[in-house]
Amino acid sequence: MPNSKVFVTRAIPADGLALLNGQSEVEVDVWPDMLPPTYEELTQRVRDCAGLISLVTDRVDAPLLAAAPNLRVVSQMAVGFDNIDLAAATARRLPVGNTPGVLTDATADFAWALLMAAARRVVEGDRFVRAGHWKAWHPTLLVGLEVHGASLGLIGFGRIGQAVARRARGFDMRVRYYNGSGPVPEAEAASGATYAPLDTLLAESDFLSLHVPLTLATRHLINATALAKVKRGAILVNTARGGVVDQAALHAALTSGRLAAAGLDVTDPEPLPMNSPLLQLENVVIAPHIASGSLQARTRMATMAAENMLAGLRGDRLPYCVNPEVYG
Ligand code: DGY
């Protein structure tokens, strides 16, 4: 591979950086701050690079790509890539990699953590105790909703949706899913989930969990119209992307009682501004986009992103490429 400079937009886990640093032809430039580079800083840093390792926080759009004429590969350390203008990359025959599979279970585990926390008011309880409000056991103190035996509706039934469904078996739940591209019969037996139209899921599920990518078709899929169809008192979990939910409509549903609670790992925007009305609500659990954040998953994601990068720099096909048409 010719001498190649790679910009990495944050200090990714050490195994991934070690792979890159182990190549003498690769010059690695790592953004050192906890906060991401601004769009202008990113554009400036990538200008003379052959490779870019990006994260979900980095806007990689057509002007940025145009400002980096030597770029040969973009490797995203995430499974989602809605921050990247894929059409612009593809038009330039620039391969874009991602990290599918290795974060499936970590993300499914976390969707369950949010579901359980929202249903059983775990975070509210913690706040209550720390504030010194806990004076005695009381029959109606912080009562929540039962999870076992309830119905779970999965919106999106790819790897992560299926992993969430498999976990629901242990809770004896009735699991149904909606999938934009239709039923996935081969995954039904392993997960015990069955297909249902979106409106049926909305109307009949006690818990709804979102597992769709953010696209033009899924932006605000969960809007006021959808939320008006939701079973009164249901709980919504979002580990997909904040933009899938219309947040104003979500706030209205959480205050009217249409939704009993929500568990959110993702918001729109991220981070939420401190004056967001959602932060005033007791019945929302909000995490800072950490569903894939197990040590193991993040290490594998970094390694995979580095492997994609090195393959691209060598001129080989990326092991995980989201625009394989660039090879056609
Ligand atoms: C992803 O991979 O798309 C997550 O949102 C970050 O891990």
Side-chain angles (χ1 to χ4, degrees):
M1 104 184 55
N3 278 0
S4 305
K5 185 170 171 188
V6 173
F7 182 49
V8 188
T9 67
R10 228 72 47 76
I12 62 173
D15 290 19
L17 283 180
L19 269 182
L20 297 172
N21 283 320
Q23 304 292 317
S24 54
E25 311 89 330
V26 178
E27 182 192 341
V28 186
D29 177 19
V30 180
W31 184 255
D33 299 346
M34 281 300 283
L35 294 181
T38 63
Y39 179 73
E40 290 69 31
E41 287 166 331
L42 178 57
T43 308
Q44 185 56 37
R45 276 305 246 274
V46 82
R47 203 173 282 281
D48 61 343
C49 285
L52 168 64
I53 294 200
S54 57
L55 306 179
V56 292
T57 47
D58 307 316
R59 175 155 57 96
V60 181
D61 61 8
L64 182 131
L65 294 175
N70 302 329
L71 206 55
R72 300 203 302 275
V73 53
V74 175
S75 174
Q76 166 100 336
M77 193 190 118
V79 66
F81 48 89
D82 47 278
N83 55 307
I84 299 174
D85 184 338
L86 200 60
T90 306
R92 184 171 140 183
R93 302 180 75 78
L94 186 64
V96 176
N98 73 339
T99 62
V102 295
L103 51 88
T104 301
D105 287 302
T107 305
D109 288 350
F110 200 79
W112 270 92
L114 287 176
L115 188 155
M116 298 291 286
R120 298 305 306 274
R121 305 177 68 175
V122 177
V123 179
E124 249 182 293
D126 181 80
R127 278 195 295 264
F128 185 83
V129 172
R130 287 172 196 270
H133 297 322
W134 186 27
K135 302 300 179 201
W137 190 91
H138 190 281
T140 63
L141 177 63
L142 288 169
V143 293
L145 297 173
E146 292 203 340
V147 174
H148 75 272
S151 57
L152 172 62
L154 300 168
I155 299 177
F157 202 57
R159 282 177 292 262
I160 298 171
Q162 291 170 29
V164 170
R166 289 194 296 276
R167 285 155 176 73
R169 289 188 137 175
F171 286 86
D172 296 328
M173 296 178 96
R174 175 180 191 195
V175 187
R176 284 177 294 179
Y177 69 93
Y178 166 75
N179 198 43
S181 54
V184 192
E186 63 281 9
E188 293 193 4
S191 63
T194 53
Y195 182 82
L198 180 57
D199 280 358
T200 308
L201 280 198
L202 294 173
E204 297 180 6
S205 303
D206 300 309
F207 296 89
L208 288 161
S209 189
L210 306 180
H211 301 289
V212 290
L214 179 62
T215 63
L216 285 178
T218 62
R219 176 166 290 282
H220 287 191
L221 179 68
I222 304 302
N223 55 18
T225 311
L227 287 166
K229 296 175 185 165
V230 161
K231 182 173 178 178
R232 180 159 287 278
I235 288 179
L236 179 73
V237 173
N238 189 4
T239 51
R241 285 290 183 266
V244 176
V245 177
D246 175 342
Q247 246 164 227
L250 173 65
H251 182 268
L254 285 162
T255 46
S256 71
R258 168 64 62 180
L259 287 177
L264 310 175
D265 182 49
V266 286
T267 58
D268 185 18
E270 289 181 5
L272 270 186
M274 288 312 289
N275 64 357
S276 165
L278 277 183
L279 296 177
Q280 303 302 319
L281 301 182
E282 285 290 341
N283 56 345
V284 192
V285 178
I286 307 182
H289 203 148
I290 53 171
S292 69
S294 70
L295 188 58
Q296 296 88 336
R298 289 284 165 85
T299 300
R300 289 191 298 259
M301 288 163 72
T303 305
M304 216 163 155
E307 285 167 352
N308 269 336
M309 174 55 62
L310 294 177
L313 293 178
R314 281 194 303 266
D316 294 342
R317 199 183 171 100
L318 307 196
Y320 296 93
C321 185
V322 295
N323 57 347
E325 57 274 34
V326 296
Y327 299 114

